[in-house]
């Protein structure tokens, strides 16, 4: 049923925000005034691979840009506000990271955000087609499972879709898994390597704990559930003030840095990301992928799964396919 990939997952040691080579990359953050957008922009301002950082939002970006521009790193920062400045914000970007949209409140699941966020991602993808069609487009906005297909369909309609250049950011699921395993095992979370596959909501999140290095020393099932529900853990703790922002900014900066390292010619840059693939019957699916000069260089496919993880995959696929269809239908009707 599924393409089995025998390749050993050789995750590189995390070098989150550094590189050895010099570069000249322009990055645009859409949603840059938000709870995620601001700390994400800060982390990108510290990234030596970024030379120009463009901050786009419907409010607040002149202030955020002025603030960040006083940091003594070499990149320059510019703010862009409102739809009339979106094109200028995107012009010539190498990487576009999108966190524009509404976050969850207690009692909501990610799918409840669809009505607010679908149109936002559609319009940004349309502007990417027109202003930076070769950019790597990485999407944080929820529901990731559905808005990534929306972006794909919009880019396709405009004749600029390259599946190697579109990424749904599921990195926070990997970051959380590493944190929980590391602290659970009493080892440095940075030393933990684990693939998390599938999508980015509830049962579609599949942490492949059988492949974790080191192995998790406690019970697998409660940890699996905790990773799947970790976003809700934060939503509840924030009690109405939104969802994960700081950990998401860290995760988004990590993925953006990996995309830039790949563009910069570094080899063996591997991240899990939600991309178009034929690995399963779901058109979009997160697996470990090799990043390079053209974005996605190679999809490493499914890691080896044990019986419990195979069961999780069977549970995830119908939900994921439903989420994907919703996005495709939205663009067809738009
Ligand atoms: P927030 O409400 O703090 O920030 C969102 C920002 O988007 C605001 O500054 C707002 O002005 C801006 N915005 C709204 N409409 C826009 C438009 N048309 N164009 C440009 N900017 C626009 O929300 P937060 O906490 O930053 O979350 C953003 C998104 O990220 C939410 O959809 C949330 O569900 C998602 N998220 C995704 C995660 C993931 O793992 N992929 C994890 C956590 C959150």
């Amino acid at each position: 049923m599924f393409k089995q990939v025998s390749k050993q997952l050789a995750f590189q040691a995390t070098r989150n925000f550094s590189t050895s080579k010099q570069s000249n990359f322009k990055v645009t953050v859409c949603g840059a005034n938000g709870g995620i957008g601001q700390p994400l922009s800060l982390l990108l301002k510290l990234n030596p691979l970024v030379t120009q950082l463009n901050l786009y939002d419907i409010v607040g970006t002149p202030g955020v840009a002025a603030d960040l521009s006083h940091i003594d790193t070499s990149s320059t920062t510019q703010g862009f506000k409102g739809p009339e400045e979106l094109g200028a914000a995107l012009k010539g970007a190498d990487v576009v990271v999108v966190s524009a949209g509404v976050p969850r409140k207690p009692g909501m699941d990610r799918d409840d955000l669809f009505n607010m966020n679908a149109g936002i991602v559609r319009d940004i993808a349309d502007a990417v087609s027109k202003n930076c069609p070769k950019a790597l487009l990485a999407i944080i906005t929820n529901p990731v499972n559905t808005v990534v297909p929306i972006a794909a369909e919009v880019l396709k309609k405009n004749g600029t879709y390259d599946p190697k250049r579109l990424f749904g950011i599921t990195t926070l699921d990997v970051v959380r898994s590493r944190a929980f395993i590391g602290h659970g095992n009493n080892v440095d979370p940075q030393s933990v390597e684990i693939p998390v596959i599938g999508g980015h909501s509830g049962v579609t999140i599949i942490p492949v704990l059988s492949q974790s290095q080191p192995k998790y020393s406690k019970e697998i099932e409660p940890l699996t559930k905790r990773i799947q529900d970790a976003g809700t853990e934060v939503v509840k703790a924030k009690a109405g003030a939104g969802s994960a922002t700081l950990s998401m900014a860290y995760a988004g900066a990590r993925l953006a840095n990996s995309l830039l390292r790949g563009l910069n010619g570094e080899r063996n840059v591997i991240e899990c990301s939600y991309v178009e693939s034929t690995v399963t019957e779901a058109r979009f699916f997160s697996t470990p992928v090799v990043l390079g000069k053209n974005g996605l260089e190679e999809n490493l496919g499914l890691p080896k799964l044990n019986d419990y993880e195979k069961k999780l995959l069977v549970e995830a696929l119908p939900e994921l396919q439903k989420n994907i269809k919703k996005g495709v239908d939205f663009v067809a009707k738009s």
Side-chain angles (χ1 to χ4, degrees):
M1 173 164 65
F2 309 110
K3 188 172 137 196
Q4 279 290 349
V5 172
S6 55
K7 217 171 247 184
Q8 188 67 30
L9 286 177
F11 283 89
Q12 75 275 30
T14 311
R15 283 179 291 163
N16 283 338
F17 309 118
S18 67
T19 182
S20 50
K21 286 191 197 166
Q22 270 311 308
S23 63
N24 184 29
F25 294 118
K26 186 186 226 183
V27 177
T28 302
V29 178
C30 296
N33 188 47
I36 295 167
Q38 290 203 32
L40 172 60
S41 301
L42 169 62
L43 293 170
L44 290 169
K45 177 74 177 104
L46 305 183
N47 189 322
L49 285 170
V50 180
T51 46
Q52 172 70 36
L53 180 61
N54 285 356
L55 309 181
Y56 173 72
D57 204 301
I58 48 171
V59 287
T61 29
V64 180
D67 192 355
L68 287 180
S69 73
H70 291 186
I71 292 176
D72 57 354
T73 56
S74 61
S75 54
T76 49
T77 316
Q78 199 178 340
F80 299 83
K81 193 177 79 166
E84 57 291 345
E85 294 186 11
L86 175 57
L90 293 170
K91 203 97 213 151
D94 298 292
V95 172
V96 177
V97 187
V98 180
S99 63
V102 178
R104 283 192 288 165
K105 297 231 160 29
M108 289 172 100
D109 66 28
R110 292 176 181 88
D111 207 33
D112 294 328
L113 301 172
F114 176 80
N115 291 336
M116 276 90 79
N117 292 349
I120 295 174
V121 172
R122 175 197 59 205
D123 295 348
I124 291 172
D126 188 51
V128 165
S129 279
K130 291 170 182 147
N131 295 284
C132 52
K134 295 281 180 206
L136 305 184
L137 175 57
I139 301 184
I140 292 170
T141 304
N142 273 317
V144 167
N145 292 0
T146 304
V147 296
V148 171
I150 289 177
E153 292 302 292
V154 171
L155 296 169
K156 210 193 265 180
K157 263 192 177 176
N158 291 335
T160 62
Y161 182 46
D162 177 355
K164 294 184 184 328
R165 294 173 184 272
L166 177 63
F167 302 87
I169 304 192
T170 55
T171 319
L172 182 52
D173 302 317
V174 176
V175 165
R176 284 170 170 154
S177 302
R178 289 168 54 136
F180 300 160
I181 294 167
H183 291 298
N185 279 12
N186 212 10
V187 299
D188 179 1
Q190 295 278 313
S191 71
V192 176
E193 301 299 355
I194 170 163
V196 182
I197 62 169
H200 177 66
S201 75
V203 297
T204 70
I205 300 170
I206 306 170
V208 186
L209 290 161
S210 65
Q211 298 299 309
S212 164
Q213 294 167 5
K215 291 267 168 288
Y216 186 55
S217 57
K218 299 176 186 162
E219 256 192 279
I220 293 297
E221 231 172 288
L223 179 64
T224 302
K225 293 270 175 275
R226 184 173 180 210
I227 293 166
Q228 290 179 328
D229 294 338
T232 305
E233 199 177 292
V234 178
V235 170
K236 279 188 186 152
K238 288 198 173 179
S243 57
T245 53
L246 302 172
S247 52
M248 182 60 240
Y250 169 84
R254 169 177 156 158
L255 196 269
N257 184 54
S258 293
L259 293 175
L260 292 168
R261 285 167 55 205
L263 286 179
N264 203 32
E266 204 176 312
R267 299 173 76 88
N268 298 319
V269 180
I270 299 173
E271 290 285 352
C272 288
S273 185
Y274 183 68
V275 295
E276 179 153 0
S277 81
T278 53
V279 169
T280 67
E281 54 259 45
R283 186 178 143 203
F284 292 86
F285 196 87
S286 186
T287 46
V289 297
V290 182
L291 301 169
K293 287 193 164 183
N294 299 303
L296 192 159
E297 294 288 341
E298 188 189 355
N299 192 322
L300 297 178
L302 287 183
K304 197 171 180 332
L305 304 179
N306 66 18
D307 286 346
Y308 175 61
E309 291 152 357
K310 283 182 188 156
K311 202 172 111 253
L312 294 178
L313 181 57
V314 168
E315 278 171 31
L317 281 173
E319 175 68 14
L320 202 46
Q321 285 170 299
K322 195 179 81 193
N323 296 161
I324 293 165
K325 183 175 182 309
K326 190 170 177 180
V328 173
D329 290 349
F330 173 78
V331 179
K333 285 189 209 125
S334 278

